[in-house]
Amino acid sequence: LGVPGLMRAWRAGNVALANAPGAGVADDKVIYTYVPALIRYYLDAEPILPNVPSYRCVYPGERDHVLANIDNLVVKAANESGGYGLLIGPHATDAERAAFAEAVRRDPRNYMAQPMLTLSTVPTIVGNRAAPRHVDLRPFILSGSRTDVTAGGLTRVALVEGSTVVNSSQGGGSKDTWVVDIGGS
């Protein structure tokens, strides 16, 4: 995974990197569950937006909740990306749920779970017609001498009808993201 020699080239000043080395830790699904505590500890502030309710399988009580409700939850492996290592309980078969439950029991630190959320849909061209497809939006932040949230971002779309998995490696795509000022200040 990655580009051999990239870090040497970066250290030598021959290339620039858009994402800082180590930024991938922010995509660890279990780390996500600790973000409110990190905000409280490092910023001495309360989070402005609440997290989606999240259950860390490493804790016995939370793991028991996940195993008892696996048919209603989305269970995610911490170290997977691209839509892999994922169980969407409401859409899974009994066999898939049983296999995932066993994986959680074997390696609870590697799993977390959240309730199934319904993603928004937008009109999407599929073949030669428009059809509703689920999307998510990833805004981007630029950090330097000041920090700015960009006017736009990455809108990922689940191209498979009914799917909520938007990752390109799982058949998802992307859409243009427009931010339009419709008046105001």
Side-chain angles (χ1 to χ4, degrees):
L1 182 65
V3 178
L6 180 61
M7 296 308 292
R8 278 190 305 278
W10 174 66
R11 281 194 303 262
N14 295 324
V15 297
L17 300 178
N19 289 317
V25 72
D27 205 26
D28 181 305
K29 282 81 175 162
V30 175
I31 293 294
Y32 166 85
T33 68
Y34 292 97
V35 169
L38 292 168
I39 290 169
R40 289 181 190 102
Y41 182 84
Y42 287 106
L43 301 178
D44 194 27
E46 284 300 309
I48 296 170
L49 298 173
N51 265 18
V52 172
S54 302
Y55 306 97
R56 295 166 285 207
C57 295
V58 70
Y59 298 118
E62 294 182 34
R63 180 175 58 247
D64 291 345
H65 175 80
V66 169
L67 294 172
N69 295 282
I70 200 164
D71 56 330
N72 295 313
L73 297 170
V74 177
V75 185
K76 303 174 183 180
N79 60 356
E80 298 283 345
S81 61
Y84 295 102
L86 177 72
L87 175 86
I88 301 176
H91 299 156
T93 65
D94 288 342
E96 290 167 333
R97 288 191 287 265
F100 236 83
E102 184 53 35
V104 167
R105 286 184 192 99
R106 271 194 322 270
D107 187 12
R109 161 46 185 103
N110 191 47
Y111 293 94
M112 61 86 66
Q114 297 170 316
M116 176 76 184
L117 300 178
T118 303
L119 299 176
S120 298
T121 61
V122 298
T124 303
I125 300 299
V126 180
N128 60 359
R129 64 182 181 86
R133 292 295 186 264
H134 293 289
V135 294
D136 79 359
L137 171 66
R138 284 194 171 189
F140 293 105
I141 297 172
L142 304 175
S143 295
S145 58
R146 62 179 229 233
T147 301
D148 293 297
V149 177
T150 63
L154 171 63
T155 299
R156 301 184 308 169
V157 58
L159 294 175
V160 175
E161 185 175 3
S163 177
T164 56
V165 179
V166 296
N167 305 79
S168 59
S169 60
Q170 300 293 316
S174 62
K175 295 181 70 61
D176 289 337
T177 304
W178 294 21
V179 177
V180 180
D181 182 358
I182 56 172
S185 61

